Amino acid sequence: MSYFLATSDLLVGVYETRIKEQNLRKLLEKLNEVYETLRPSICQFFNADRVISALYVAAAVTVAIIAWESKMNVAKRVEIEFLVKLSAQDQISKAIELVGISYETERVGVCIVSKSVEGIEGAKSRLEILLDCKLTPFVDNQDTHILSKLSKIYEIPEQTLKLIQADNMFKALELLLIEKVAISLISR
């Protein structure tokens, strides 16, 4: 597993899993408890089919932390601020609708933020026990059909994607989404 640097002293681990429906229900009912169990690490769940890549997740974490530390946050909890940035939105309800998990979520993404690799690995182990599932490294969404769906969800026209100097549609969309997240800091 590769880890991303969010800030000079924070690492990000990005995983995914398919959770049994009863465990997903348990998770949704006890979300705040799960957050507290993993402290001092920070954790957030997201719909993995609505997120392009692990690098994009790391960028959203970085922007959420910057927003939080500079008092430019939208949410009262850093975990929710992350969802807001991950969705490239500025409304909490829209963010949860766009990238949050629900009972229909098939592929659950998990982002863990900690000061050390050991902190991430420890939180990951505790989550696997709590959720009764295995967390595997996040797989980037490079399938053409999913990319097309993501560009519609995030309102990026195909014409705009063609203007980006990138090797392929995946890289173009990833770059545009990361730019959207970064710009969200100055657009408030």
Side-chain angles (χ1 to χ4, degrees), residues 46-54 56-57 86-89 98-99 107 138-158 161 169-177 180:
F46 57 91
N47 185 334
D49 290 327
R50 298 271 178 105
V51 172
I52 193 161
S53 68
Y56 175 69
V57 172
L86 188 65
S87 70
Q89 302 292 315
L98 191 65
V99 295
R107 198 170 135 226
F138 185 86
V139 176
D140 294 347
N141 285 312
Q142 295 191 36
D143 178 83
T144 308
H145 175 71
I146 293 175
L147 291 173
S148 178
K149 222 159 96 171
L150 288 173
S151 63
K152 285 181 184 131
I153 289 169
Y154 288 96
E155 300 173 354
I156 297 175
E158 191 176 323
L161 284 171
M169 185 178 167
F170 168 77
K171 272 294 174 201
L173 185 56
E174 183 182 50
L175 287 169
L176 277 172
L177 289 173
K180 250 183 145 172

Side-chain angles (χ1 to χ4, degrees), residues 114-127:
S114 187
K115 290 187 181 249
S116 67
V117 170
E118 295 78 22
I120 290 175
E121 290 297 330
K124 177 182 175 258
S125 294
R126 289 192 304 273
L127 268 177

Side-chain angles (χ1 to χ4, degrees), residues 54-157:
L55 179 61
Y56 175 69
V57 172
V61 167
T62 303
V63 172
I65 290 168
I66 292 168
W68 193 261
E69 289 177 348
S70 61
K71 309 276 190 254
M72 296 172 62
N73 49 304
V74 174
K76 291 182 172 135
R77 291 186 66 141
V78 72
E79 296 91 350
I80 303 299
E81 188 69 25
F82 164 69
L83 273 187
V84 170
K85 298 307 180 201
L86 188 65
S87 70
Q89 302 292 315
D90 59 1
Q91 292 181 338
I92 294 170
S93 60
K94 181 87 171 160
I96 292 170
E97 178 185 323
L98 191 65
V99 295
I101 59 172
S102 68
Y103 294 121
E104 288 78 43
T105 304
E106 292 181 23
R107 198 170 135 226
V108 176
V110 181
C111 172
I112 301 172
V113 181
S114 187
K115 290 187 181 249
S116 67
V117 170
E118 295 78 22
I120 290 175
E121 290 297 330
K124 177 182 175 258
S125 294
R126 289 192 304 273
L127 268 177
E128 288 176 331
I129 292 166
L130 277 168
L131 303 176
D132 190 28
C133 67
K134 181 90 174 117
L135 296 178
T136 59
F138 185 86
V139 176
D140 294 347
N141 285 312
Q142 295 191 36
D143 178 83
T144 308
H145 175 71
I146 293 175
L147 291 173
S148 178
K149 222 159 96 171
L150 288 173
S151 63
K152 285 181 184 131
I153 289 169
Y154 288 96
E155 300 173 354
I156 297 175

Side-chain angles (χ1 to χ4, degrees), residues 16-61:
E16 67 177 82
T17 190
R18 295 188 186 272
I19 299 178
K20 296 175 197 160
E21 188 177 340
Q22 69 268 21
N23 291 346
L24 182 59
R25 287 189 182 282
K26 189 168 46 172
L27 168 65
L28 290 170
E29 290 166 4
K30 297 182 179 204
L31 211 45
N32 288 330
E33 239 177 88
V34 171
Y35 291 151
E36 293 307 316
T37 303
L38 299 176
R39 297 263 184 243
S41 297
I42 298 168
C43 169
Q44 182 54 284
F45 303 92
F46 57 91
N47 185 334
D49 290 327
R50 298 271 178 105
V51 172
I52 193 161
S53 68
L55 179 61
Y56 175 69
V57 172
V61 167

